[in-house]
Amino acid sequence: MFARIAKRYDLLNHLLSGNVDKRWRRIVAQRVREKLSSSSSQILDVACGTGDLSLTLFENTGARVVGTDFCRPMLKIAAGKTSDRIPLIEGDALDLPFRDSAFEVVTIAFGLRNLASVEGGLAELRRVLKPGGWVAVLEFSRPANAMIRPLFGLYFTRVLPLMGGLVSGSRMAYSYLPASVQKFPDQEQLSLLMQRAGFEQVQFENLTGGIAALHMGKRPE
Ligand SMILES: C[S@@+](CC[C@H](N)C(=O)[O-])C[C@H]1O[C@@H](n2cnc3c(N)ncnc32)[C@H](O)[C@@H]1O
């Protein structure tokens, strides 16, 4: 599915979100920067796709960034944008090709929802984090405002699949998006799953009224 939409993925992200996705990624980079102990730190961006978050992290934190994804066509587009500044490694988020405790920060944006097991994904993110390191999960979530929720629901389930289908040529991919978000844990549930996966100081920040949320958690020392 991601291979089919790779070429139009960035365009659609910016179009369908009115460029708000760029602001969300910048917020992730700001929060990550606050957690980094030195500029020689390494960040792993899991399910990096076309590399937008990897690049934003690279440009805004000064740290070394590695991107990984299992979809080669997405990685090819990422490689065109990052031009050797960011190593890109093909790999499955449920079986990451990295040693234990390798990274100071691990990020995953709009990726966790797509994994066959959210719990398995969280366990793997924790495994590659150094003790004391932080994970940042950016995902669609549940709008907090009861007035906004139905309006956003209408846009997300009706307008977005139509526009996404027309521009990408894959109506299925853009119908899958709202369906997968509906099944994904909301802010509180995801916090609980992260705690159960062994993260501490788990906190979340609603973005654009909870349309998306950034969850952060620390691997205990
Ligand atoms: C919605 S895109 C997000 C891409 C990017 N992080 C962003 O913010 O735009 C989801 C990405 O997750 C990747 N993905 C899904 N399941 C995966 C898995 N098991 N292992 C690695 N990557 C996976 C897809 O290939 C796709 O590039």
Side-chain angles (χ1 to χ4, degrees):
M1 184 181 76
F2 288 106
R4 275 204 302 279
I5 61 168
K7 283 201 177 112
R8 295 287 166 90
Y9 178 79
D10 284 345
L11 170 70
L12 274 165
N13 266 355
H14 308 327
L15 191 72
L16 294 170
S17 75
N19 272 333
V20 172
D21 65 306
K22 293 184 185 171
R23 198 170 68 81
W24 293 344
R25 289 188 179 85
R26 281 198 300 272
I27 292 173
V28 177
Q30 275 168 22
R31 300 294 175 262
V32 164
R33 194 175 53 210
E34 290 160 14
K35 302 294 183 199
L36 288 174
S37 58
S38 83
S39 58
S40 63
S41 305
Q42 276 221 95
I43 302 173
L44 177 66
D45 184 26
V46 177
C48 68
T50 58
D52 272 4
L53 179 62
S54 312
L55 260 178
T56 310
L57 290 164
F58 181 82
E59 285 164 358
N60 291 276
T61 65
R64 288 179 293 154
V65 181
V66 176
T68 182
D69 199 287
F70 73 174
C71 177
R72 197 171 293 179
M74 295 289 266
L75 285 177
K76 275 192 177 152
I77 292 172
K81 295 192 305 197
T82 56
S83 47
D84 292 344
R85 288 174 294 172
I86 296 173
L88 297 167
I89 293 162
E90 199 171 311
D92 185 349
L94 292 171
D95 185 16
L96 288 167
F98 303 100
R99 63 177 170 80
D100 294 358
S101 312
F103 297 93
E104 190 156 5
V105 170
V106 176
T107 59
I108 183 165
F110 309 111
L112 192 59
R113 172 175 39 89
N114 299 301
L115 304 185
S117 162
V118 173
E119 289 86 350
L122 288 171
E124 196 55 359
L125 300 178
R126 185 182 186 278
R127 180 185 69 76
V128 297
L129 256 185
K130 285 191 166 108
W134 286 82
V135 68
V137 180
L138 175 63
E139 252 311 342
F140 287 108
S141 203
R142 189 177 157 85
N145 185 315
M147 306 267 277
I148 306 278
R149 221 177 286 149
L151 283 177
F152 176 70
L154 204 65
Y155 171 72
F156 211 48
T157 58
R158 306 273 172 220
V159 181
L160 181 142
L162 197 71
M163 281 170 65
L166 281 174
V167 177
S168 72
S170 174
R171 177 84 190 252
M172 188 274 269
Y174 286 88
S175 301
Y176 160 81
L177 170 58
S180 63
V181 172
Q182 272 165 8
K183 282 197 218 140
F184 191 70
D186 67 15
Q187 289 89 331
E188 300 295 344
Q189 291 164 340
L190 181 57
S191 300
L192 207 63
L193 286 180
M194 288 175 66
Q195 284 161 10
R196 283 195 194 135
F199 292 103
E200 61 181 27
Q201 297 180 42
V202 174
Q203 51 203 274
F204 71 83
E205 177 177 354
N206 279 333
L207 306 177
T208 320
I211 288 175
L214 170 61
H215 284 71
M216 299 203 55
K218 185 178 179 183
R219 178 173 173 175
E221 303 274 357

